[in-house]
Amino acid sequence: MRNVCVVGVGMSKWGEVWRKSLRGLFVDAALEAVKNSGVDHLDSLYVGCMASGPFVSQEHLGALMADYLGMPGLPAMRVESACASGGMAFRLAFLEVAGGFSDIVMASGVEKMTDCSGDDATAALAMAADQEYEVFNGATFPGLYALMATAHMAKYGTTREMLSAIAVKNHKNGAKNPVAQYPFEITMEGVEKSVMIADPLHILDCSPITDGAAAVIVTTEEIAKKLGKPYIKVLGSGVGTDTIQLAQRADMTAIKAATIAAERAFKMAGKTIKDVQFAEVHDCFTIAELVVLESLGIYEKGKAGPAILAGETALDGKFPVNTSGGLKSKGHPVGATGVAQVVEVYKQLTGQAENGRQMPGSPKIGMTQNMGGSGASSVVHILEVT
Amino acid sequence: MTMFSSRNWREYPQRYRLEASKFKKSGKTYFPPRAVDPETSDTVQEKVVLPDTGKIVTYTVIRTAPGMWADNAPYALAIAELTDGTRLMAQVADCDVNEVKIGMEIRIEFRRIQTESHHGVLSYGYKFVPKWY
């Protein structure tokens, strides 16, 4: 297996980007990644996207994006694993370079979510759940995570305050991220007074609907060195899956797919969670960040909430989480999220995080955790700067 | 998007009669039925009917609902563990949504689920109701 690096990242402003189409969002991010990396060609392209069909009636994204990137002829493929599509696209680019099949691959993700009504967008997102046994019975995505939150609160005494602290912390980081959809701070009281979506989750516990794209260039260490640009190394990559239905999981207060994915990524990297200094995790809802931190082994079961309240996961804390602002503040264009997590880790490890968002202490190893649905799929990457 | 009603009809055995598969090797029951036991890879199974009582293990109240569910909100959604250990998700009907609790005993009843679904037909299935009701 060859050493694989990320050199050059691209991400345009996220939000309700009415002036940009699905392909326009992708092209902006892709051209920026090409420019920042200095590569003169690509050998192949992966496009992570969850639901361009339901959102904008467009499928066949591999060919479409290669065409509009000005590279017709390029091997290109769309990758789908619900909200983990971007992370999976990055993994495939990694595998292709590690295996020696290509030297320079673009991993990208894109989602255009505001060209349809909120109802249609919600229905599209719900396609990640079991249509016949969850959605049929009235389950929504906030509803599924709310079921986890109720169970976690009952089992471990997790409180409203702990969940609010996650949203407040992520907005504090996102306020310093120039591409974030909601770059402003919020208060604990603001979260608790916001409209109730599914008990106990308020609207400010939920990540938004977002238009956005992200792209990174994945290549060999040899080429990365020659390009003379800052680069990071991919130490490990892991994927895990679980039952599609939340009801069928033995423990509804943990995300087993994330645990399995992390075990596999750490095994490949020859590292443990103790070697990692910060993480970008999938906070589609506040409870998701809390459960994931426990499922990854960063905190013991039931211990993440108190640690978050104590500020341990803040930008200047013991273990910063979602320095980008996370899905909550930065936005969640579902197919792009997993790639954007790699963009943030790249920026932190190469000292390029903007506007005072750079975490202290020159971190050497960071990780990403991206997941699909209510946690039926998850992908983890361990990244290092040398 | 219009879907053919065969999609609805295929699920009748589960939604109307709570049919599940019980695997020989592990003795575990799965709802809805599946071909392979995830624990043992066993494919030898018998058709069983789920018990119709159990208790709620987690719940939420959907207060803001999209599309066809908007008029139903607020409604309670729960996962119940039945007396044989099987778990399934359904709405909780016939009680104040604020009274739903973990540990609450429920019974399963045959109910209308959707009036104008993407199947284009009335859809029926199961809901939980308080056991004492």
Side-chain angles (χ1 to χ4, degrees), chain A residues 119 122 131-140 143-144 146-148 150-151 154 195-200 243 245-250 252, chain B residues 7-8 11 14-15 31-32 34 57-64 66-67 69 75 77-79 87-89 91 102 113-114 118 123-124 126:
Chain A
D119 271 2
T122 307
Q131 283 295 318
E132 307 296 4
Y133 291 89
E134 292 182 324
V135 181
F136 175 80
N137 285 316
T140 59
L144 293 172
L147 290 167
M148 286 187 227
T150 305
V195 71
M196 184 66 92
I197 302 295
D199 300 11
T243 62
Q245 274 187 51
L246 182 62
Q248 296 194 342
R249 301 192 196 144
M252 291 182 291
Chain B
R7 183 173 175 184
N8 203 37
E11 305 301 326
Q14 292 75 253
R15 289 185 186 155
F31 180 83
R34 40 173 85 212
V57 292
T58 188
Y59 69 94
T60 181
V61 179
I62 312 272
R63 310 237 175 221
T64 309
W69 300 105
Y75 59 92
L77 184 74
I79 293 174
R87 286 177 176 185
L88 75 169
M89 182 186 293
Q91 290 183 34
I102 290 176
I113 307 296
Q114 299 177 7
H118 58 199
S123 298
Y124 294 86
Y126 45 83

Side-chain angles (χ1 to χ4, degrees), chain B residues 72-86:
Chain B
N72 295 48
Y75 59 92
L77 184 74
I79 293 174
E81 186 168 302
L82 305 183
T83 48
D84 71 342
T86 315

Side-chain angles (χ1 to χ4, degrees), chain A residues 260-324:
Chain A
I260 299 170
E263 278 168 9
R264 290 174 180 157
F266 280 119
K267 190 178 172 203
M268 184 187 287
K271 302 280 179 190
T272 71
I273 192 73
K274 301 231 181 310
D275 299 311
V276 179
Q277 288 146 306
F278 69 105
E280 283 286 305
V281 305
H282 198 95
D283 61 315
C284 47
F285 300 92
T286 48
I287 183 65
E289 178 163 324
L290 191 152
V291 168
V292 164
L293 291 182
E294 294 175 356
S295 300
L296 294 176
I298 294 165
Y299 291 103
E300 281 174 43
K301 297 275 172 68
K303 298 285 167 62
I308 291 159
L309 264 187
E312 287 187 19
T313 58
L315 187 60
D316 58 355
K318 214 162 81 181
F319 189 92
V321 174
N322 286 334
T323 56
S324 68

Side-chain angles (χ1 to χ4, degrees), chain A residues 184-232:
Chain A
F184 51 76
E185 295 193 25
I186 58 172
T187 62
M188 301 284 278
E189 200 191 5
V191 179
E192 281 146 42
K193 283 192 172 161
S194 68
V195 71
M196 184 66 92
I197 302 295
D199 300 11
L201 302 179
H202 296 256
I203 187 79
L204 287 182
D205 285 298
C206 311
S207 58
I209 281 172
T210 311
D211 300 329
V216 301
I217 303 297
V218 180
T219 188
T220 64
E221 192 168 15
E222 204 185 344
I223 293 172
K225 269 184 192 155
K226 270 191 209 149
L227 288 167
K229 300 280 170 67
Y231 67 87
I232 60 170

